[in-house]
Amino acid sequence: MSSSVTCELQLRLVISGDSSLPVPAGLRYDTADPYAVHATFHTGGQDTVDWVFARELLAEGLRRPTGTGDVRVWPSRSRGQAIVCLALSSPEGEALLEAPARALESFLKRTNTAVPPGLEHRFYDLDAELMHLFADN
């Protein structure tokens, strides 16, 4: 039986230098997909952009710069507050987002309670994933 951990938070989309825009976002962690965090960024109206990150990438990004390619994460400070920067890159464009470190840390602690780091393999249903892959063919 799977369970979920969710978090709604307000991010900042960095436009340039000191300019930024608010971006409401939702994070979801499901024990049925124990290695991943699913993020939904609300870009206006009903429009959303979905990304999937490795939980470990976000956790490490709280402490030090990490990631390569499409997703990079690092700790920083903005307006006197601890933040986590998320640099996202896709063929459609690039974005630099700032997340409140405290909210992200709280969310990750709750995911660690649901599935302790290093024990993800106990929650991953390899047979179900293989059946899903073969069903698509």
Side-chain angles (χ1 to χ4, degrees), residues 12-21 78-79 98:
R12 303 291 306 168
L13 173 64
V14 177
I15 304 298
S16 66
D18 294 330
S19 299
S20 63
L21 295 172
S78 177
R79 300 179 182 108
E98 297 176 346

Side-chain angles (χ1 to χ4, degrees), residues 23 40 54 61 77 84 94 96 103 110 115 124 126:
V23 176
T40 300
R77 295 194 70 76
V84 175
E94 296 180 352
L96 175 58
R110 291 186 293 129
V115 177
Y124 193 74
L126 183 59

